[in-house]
Amino acid sequence: MSGAALVWARLTPAGRILAVLLPVLAVGGALTTALLIVFGGAIAATIGANLPIVRFLAASVITFLITVPTAFLLIYMEMKIIALMNLRIGPDRIGPAGAVMSIVHGLKVLMKEDYTPPSVDVPVFTLAPVVVYLASFMTVMVIPFAPELTSVGLELGLLYFFAIGGLGVVGLMMAGWSSFNKYSLLGGIRAAAQAISYEIPLTLSVVGIVILTGTLSLPKIVAAQSGSLLDWFIFRQPLAAIIFFIAITAEANRTPFDNTEADQEIVAGFATEYSGMRFGFFFFAEYVNVFIVSALFSAVFLGGSNAPLVLPFHPEIIINLGSLGIMLPILAGIAPVIGTLVCAAPIWFASSRIKTWQALVAGFLIFGGLSTAAIGFWAWAMIPALGNLIWFLIKTFSLVFVFVWMRGTLPRARIDQLMGFAWKWLLPASLLNIFATALAVLLTTSGGN
Amino acid sequence: MPQQTRPSLDDPRISIPAGSEWYEPAPTPQTERQAEFLTLKDGEMFVNMGPQHPSTHGVLRVVIKIDGEKVVDLDPVLGYLHRGVEKLCENADYHQAICYTDPLEYVSSLFCEAAPVAAFEKLMEVDVPRRAQYIRVLTMELNRIASHTLFQGWMALDLGGLTPILWSFIERDEIVDMLAALTGQKLLYNYYRIGGVNGDLNHEFMSRLGTWMSRAAAQIDSNLGLINENELFVRRTRGLGVLDAKTALRMGVTGPNLRSTGVPYDLRRDRPYLVYPELEFDIPTRTEGDSLARYLVRIDEIKQSIRIIDQVLHEMPDGPVMAKLPRLIRPRPGRAFGAVEGPRGVYGTYAISDGTDQPFRMRIHDPSFVHLQLVGPLTRGNLIADTMAVMASLDPVMGGVDK
């Protein structure tokens, strides 16, 4: 056996992956560097010329990338909060308080066998999870995280949202039909019936807001709610807010409207025949959906990125980093070392039992915490969008908590009660809301004239 | 052999081609009822729920004929958990037979062993000491509470609620641990003996019981708030699967399912056994006969059981817990029927002795088996989701059904 084969045979699986990956990365990195050196100027010029397209591509990639950690965070939140409501401990083994548990779940799903049962309609069966996941991730693009932080500031953002959100149910129907399983079929049909019924009150409930603001653009709707707390549409359109909340619960297939995957009745609904990562896509899409509908509710009704209270002061720090000149890289290199030593010194002196490396690690952690806080404060003072983003996320995650809370508390509604509720109560109520809003707008404007 | 065409979802020989060695032609119906069940009208299809299904309470298989979401017809298929308990008992001596009956209904196993013990005691014509009788009443009522609290959680779980099952398990776990301290087993106690009980009350049991009794009523009440006042729960169960008293009596329904139709039939009153005639308690009844009534009757029974335990603890006399009997039980030839009122209905045992140390014949009457035949009539015409609600409210345990 030759030397190379012997080495290869003695490598662990992880070592083999590295042995293949490292040369590829090295060559790839060298090539990229060379390309950048040769064509760097031309590439920069092209990017400069096509800025909107580049921005769109970058925004798409970033939105796609943030959906996955969001789903992980939501899954962890749900596991932990429901555990507390059930008087259990919940995940507590992997990571601090089990925080990495959902990522491990994701890895587990990746490693599981991806089985395609015989007699399924293979292309449709394969495509269905992709459609479901794409539909939820495409709606993230129009969510106004902060005034400057919207991937695509569409003029018809709200309409786009409903249209693309409705595509998700096509994926569920595809999964239900192609699985060649009666439970899946029932789940898919239930999903279609539910989505069709609830999209009508969902869309009609925001018409009142469209009448008031005169726009379908989500950033403009958020901007219309700036000012005091009473400018939020939840106070100006309370009936619409209630209808909208119930309808998005049904849209996201959450308890009490989770008939599509009612495990006591139809096992796992449309996902019965799915396994491995294809099931994972459904699972992720569900949680991304929860985040999206919460974000939409907070953007449309809870003032979005507007702060509920205007702080009496806003810190103003103006440090022109450029004025430091050559000192900036020197400071950046030296400051962590000196900071770590300064923070470690009191611990090292405090007790002779503490070893030097322990003191250094503690000092590094303390300095890291302090500098993170300082940088955070600086960023908050310098970047107004950050405060807005934090407010938006606080509102969104409060709503996510409400969804999880409902899941922990409520039983499931029956399918006929669910449909009856949509058609008999929500639809007339949303029509009434439109009528009342239109009448009020007509009276006030004609009175003004 | 490649499949020629895509088979229909209603084809009973799904994906088994006609030339295959596994091919079986569709069965020819044996009875009129079977023929009626097996004919599909336009738009109808069969759905096979179980034996591995999340909510069929064990290994029950239900073949449902549905039209969209509506259940047209329904047929429970039994036997997946059959162990032949009755025959096993006939091949064991009288003491050994008792522990075979324990796992019949594993959530209320004290009742399952109380019934054969009662029958054997009648065969032996033995008087059980009064302290043993009180201990039996005490432990049986504890087991009844454990079973009913578990039912309460199951019912909510089958309707889609996640939390109530875990909350109700708090009470059940405490009772189970208590009984484990007394009997040495957590689930299959094997505590009753012919002529008494196996061992007197011990200190750990009594101290745990005292602590639990001081908070039980309040705790159970607070758990109920999550279910009883829930609009979704009430709307899904009120008026669902209405059972009238006449049908119930004709079908042989007993226990809370019968009392929910307005018939106050309770063996503890109507054919008194042990010391029940000396204790004060009410027999909760309702007249609606729907799933909600069946649920509420059981909840009321929990309160009555706590009342009984309270009296038993105050009135329990001192004395022996075991009658004097020969080691080898060998009753005179004869026959006897012993029955007790369990959390699901009447648990009965009919035993024939031929004078040897083994029962010549032994038959077990189990309420779950009787109640399971109601699932069809009560669910027909409702929705798929209602099948689960009806089945949960009848509270069958498959261990007892299949024996």
Side-chain angles (χ1 to χ4, degrees):
Chain A
M1 197 184 275
S2 72
L6 202 66
V7 169
W8 181 257
R10 294 180 68 167
L11 279 176
T12 58
R16 286 181 190 170
I17 292 172
L18 274 183
V20 175
L21 216 58
L22 280 178
V24 171
L25 280 179
V27 172
L31 276 177
T32 317
T33 317
L35 279 175
L36 277 179
I37 288 168
V38 177
F39 299 109
I43 291 170
T46 321
I47 289 176
N50 298 308
L51 206 56
I53 297 170
V54 173
R55 193 176 175 281
F56 176 78
L57 287 177
S60 316
V61 171
I62 291 170
T63 355
F64 182 69
L65 288 182
I66 63 166
T67 54
V68 177
T70 311
F72 279 144
L73 183 61
L74 257 64
I75 292 167
Y76 173 67
M77 265 179 78
E78 175 151 295
M79 284 195 290
K80 204 69 185 174
I81 293 170
I82 288 191
L84 292 176
M85 285 174 181
N86 286 352
L87 310 176
R88 292 184 283 124
I89 297 170
D92 69 333
R93 291 303 148 108
I94 305 167
V100 195
M101 193 68 200
S102 51
I103 295 170
V104 175
H105 270 316
L107 288 176
K108 175 200 75 177
V109 162
L110 264 178
M111 285 188 281
K112 275 182 150 181
E113 187 191 356
D114 187 6
Y115 181 66
T116 307
S119 68
V120 302
D121 194 345
V122 176
V124 184
F125 186 78
T126 317
L127 215 57
V130 180
V131 172
V132 172
Y133 195 74
L134 268 184
S136 33
F137 129 76
M138 275 164 76
T139 40
V140 183
M141 309 253 289
V142 288
I143 289 175
F145 287 98
E148 296 86 8
L149 274 176
T150 311
S151 304
V152 184
L154 278 181
E155 267 308 305
L156 294 174
L158 208 52
L159 199 60
Y160 170 87
F161 194 97
F162 294 139
I164 301 295
L167 274 184
V169 77
V170 176
L172 300 188
M173 269 297 278
M174 283 162 69
W177 184 253
S178 65
S179 288
F180 199 57
N181 180 318
K182 290 169 186 176
Y183 294 124
S184 302
L185 184 62
L186 282 172
I189 290 172
R190 279 184 180 191
Q194 188 172 326
I196 290 168
S197 306
Y198 274 85
E199 243 160 48
I200 296 165
L202 177 70
T203 317
L204 287 182
S205 64
V206 292
V207 171
I209 290 163
V210 175
I211 292 174
L212 286 179
T213 56
T215 176
L216 280 166
S217 156
L218 280 168
K220 284 181 187 164
I221 290 177
V222 172
Q225 303 176 67
S226 59
S228 77
L229 197 68
L230 291 177
D231 282 331
W232 291 6
F233 282 123
I234 193 171
F235 298 115
R236 284 156 73 185
Q237 293 265 311
L239 182 60
I242 294 167
I243 298 166
F244 192 83
F245 185 76
I246 296 170
I248 57 173
T249 315
E251 277 289 297
N253 292 334
R254 295 289 295 181
T255 315
F257 302 130
D258 57 343
N259 278 276
T260 48
E261 43 199 333
D263 49 355
Q264 283 85 13
E265 301 153 23
I266 51 172
V267 191
F270 53 84
T272 307
E273 292 290 347
Y274 281 88
S275 58
M277 198 53 212
R278 276 188 274 189
F279 175 76
F281 270 121
F282 282 123
F283 198 66
F284 275 13
E286 188 193 327
Y287 286 94
V288 175
N289 265 333
V290 173
F291 175 77
I292 288 168
V293 294
S294 309
L296 188 69
F297 189 87
S298 60
V300 176
F301 285 101
L302 294 180
S305 48
N306 294 312
L309 300 166
V310 181
L311 287 179
F313 72 95
H314 191 270
E316 285 193 26
I317 307 167
I318 296 161
I319 303 172
N320 191 356
L321 291 174
S323 67
L324 289 171
I326 192 67
M327 283 300 284
L328 182 63
I330 296 174
L331 267 180
I334 292 174
V337 179
I338 294 178
T340 306
L341 288 177
V342 167
C343 292
I347 300 167
W348 190 69
F349 282 119
S351 164
S352 57
R353 282 191 193 168
I354 295 172
K355 294 180 183 116
T356 313
W357 68 267
Q358 286 170 336
L360 280 176
V361 167
F364 181 74
L365 289 179
I366 292 170
F367 174 73
L370 287 176
S371 53
T372 311
I375 291 170
F377 183 73
W378 176 80
W380 180 50
M382 293 297 288
I383 309 167
L386 195 70
N388 289 334
L389 177 68
I390 289 170
W391 276 119
F392 185 81
L393 288 181
I394 288 175
K395 288 169 187 172
T396 306
F397 277 95
S398 313
L399 272 168
V400 170
F401 173 75
V402 173
F403 280 121
V404 175
W405 186 10
M406 291 203 310
R407 172 128 193 235
T409 319
L410 297 177
R412 185 179 303 121
R414 210 167 54 202
I415 185 85
D416 63 326
Q417 293 170 343
L418 177 116
M419 307 288 281
F421 188 61
W423 293 102
K424 287 181 200 155
W425 295 100
L426 291 187
L427 186 62
S430 52
L431 289 174
L432 180 74
N433 183 56
I434 295 174
F435 178 73
T437 314
L439 197 67
V441 168
L442 196 68
L443 288 179
T444 48
T445 47
S446 62
N449 292 336
Chain B
M1 185 179 184
Q3 264 175 262
Q4 295 303 315
T5 51
R6 192 177 155 80
S8 147
L9 277 174
D10 299 321
D11 191 350
R13 299 152 317 217
I14 273 179
S15 70
I16 301 177
S20 158
E21 62 174 307
W22 303 107
Y23 174 78
E24 263 180 58
T28 43
Q30 301 294 320
T31 60
E32 263 180 48
R33 161 84 185 118
Q34 211 177 0
E36 183 206 330
F37 186 75
L38 287 175
T39 15
L40 284 173
K41 287 201 196 72
D42 192 29
E44 294 176 347
M45 70 173 178
F46 287 121
V47 174
N48 211 352
M49 288 202 174
Q52 279 88 29
H53 187 272
S55 66
T56 44
H57 291 245
V59 281
L60 169 65
R61 174 175 156 220
V62 186
V63 183
I64 303 182
K65 194 202 275 184
I66 54 170
D67 181 5
E69 284 278 338
K70 214 173 103 188
V71 176
V72 180
D73 211 340
L74 182 144
D75 187 24
V77 183
L78 312 180
Y80 289 90
L81 204 57
H82 180 64
R83 292 145 290 171
V85 171
E86 290 159 335
K87 194 68 197 166
L88 283 172
C89 290
E90 287 165 14
N91 289 312
D93 75 26
Y94 283 93
H95 286 306
Q96 291 166 337
I98 297 167
C99 64
Y100 279 126
T101 59
D102 246 342
L104 276 176
E105 291 202 353
Y106 32 83
V107 292
S108 55
S109 51
L110 279 178
F111 295 92
C112 293
E113 60 188 77
V117 164
F120 297 159
E121 277 164 0
K122 278 184 192 168
L123 279 178
M124 285 294 287
E125 292 159 2
V126 59
D127 283 331
V128 183
R130 279 188 66 76
R131 186 172 172 83
Q133 293 192 18
Y134 271 101
I135 292 175
R136 281 191 191 175
V137 170
L138 172 65
T139 46
M140 275 202 268
E141 293 304 324
L142 278 174
N143 204 341
R144 191 191 307 275
I145 297 174
S147 172
H148 280 341
T149 44
L150 192 64
F151 158 79
Q152 172 201 340
W154 262 347
M155 177 100 186
L157 188 69
D158 274 359
L159 295 176
L162 286 176
T163 306
I165 179 109
L166 286 135
W167 285 25
S168 61
F169 254 98
I170 299 171
E171 299 311 309
R172 182 184 146 77
D173 267 5
E174 183 53 38
I175 294 173
V176 161
D177 285 349
M178 212 185 279
L179 289 174
L182 177 64
T183 65
Q185 284 262 27
K186 285 194 95 168
L187 203 60
L188 311 174
Y189 306 105
N190 195 17
Y191 181 54
Y192 298 159
R193 295 282 182 272
I194 300 163
V197 295
N198 180 21
D200 206 343
L201 302 179
N202 58 25
H203 177 73
E204 191 190 344
F205 173 78
M206 289 310 283
S207 70
R208 290 187 93 138
L209 180 62
T211 322
W212 179 77
M213 280 294 282
S214 62
R215 62 171 176 81
Q219 183 79 41
I220 287 167
D221 264 356
S222 79
N223 287 1
L224 291 177
L226 198 61
I227 310 176
N228 287 17
E229 291 155 24
N230 193 318
E231 185 70 19
L232 283 166
F233 178 81
V234 174
R235 283 206 175 213
R236 278 198 61 179
T237 50
R238 180 177 287 152
L240 170 70
V242 180
L243 178 66
D244 60 304
K246 214 174 156 188
T247 318
L249 287 171
R250 191 163 54 79
M251 290 259 201
V253 175
T254 48
N257 295 343
L258 179 63
R259 293 196 279 278
S260 74
T261 63
V263 183
Y265 178 73
D266 190 324
L267 278 195
R268 292 177 290 180
R269 270 285 151 72
D270 298 326
R271 287 173 66 124
Y273 53 96
L274 301 177
V275 289
Y276 278 113
E278 299 161 30
L279 299 170
E280 255 184 52
F281 58 96
D282 299 332
I283 299 186
T285 53
R286 300 218 161 223
T287 48
E288 298 91 353
D290 55 1
S291 291
L292 186 63
R294 289 194 278 275
Y295 168 79
L296 291 172
V297 162
R298 285 181 167 90
I299 299 306
D300 292 341
E301 276 188 16
I302 295 180
K303 289 165 192 160
Q304 296 302 324
S305 289
I306 293 177
R307 203 172 143 197
I308 293 174
I309 292 171
D310 208 32
Q311 294 171 45
V312 165
L313 288 176
H314 280 98
E315 294 169 13
M316 188 178 288
D318 276 340
V321 293
M322 193 72 193
K324 286 198 163 44
L325 278 174
R327 181 161 292 179
L328 198 61
I329 303 282
R330 199 171 284 184
R332 275 180 299 179
R335 47 189 70 192
F337 179 71
V340 291
E341 179 74 28
R344 287 175 187 73
V346 172
Y347 295 70
T349 298
Y350 182 66
I352 303 179
S353 160
D354 58 353
T356 60
D357 61 342
Q358 292 177 341
F360 175 65
R361 281 286 178 269
M362 190 162 149
R363 284 288 173 269
I364 295 164
H365 170 90
D366 193 280
S368 293
F369 180 70
V370 178
H371 296 163
L372 202 62
Q373 66 184 337
L374 287 172
V375 176
L378 294 191
T379 319
R380 225 166 275 156
N382 287 316
L383 302 178
I384 297 173
D386 294 335
T387 319
M388 300 307 142
V390 168
M391 208 154 15
S393 74
L394 291 173
D395 194 17
V397 173
M398 290 315 289
V401 175
D402 287 343
K403 292 200 258 299

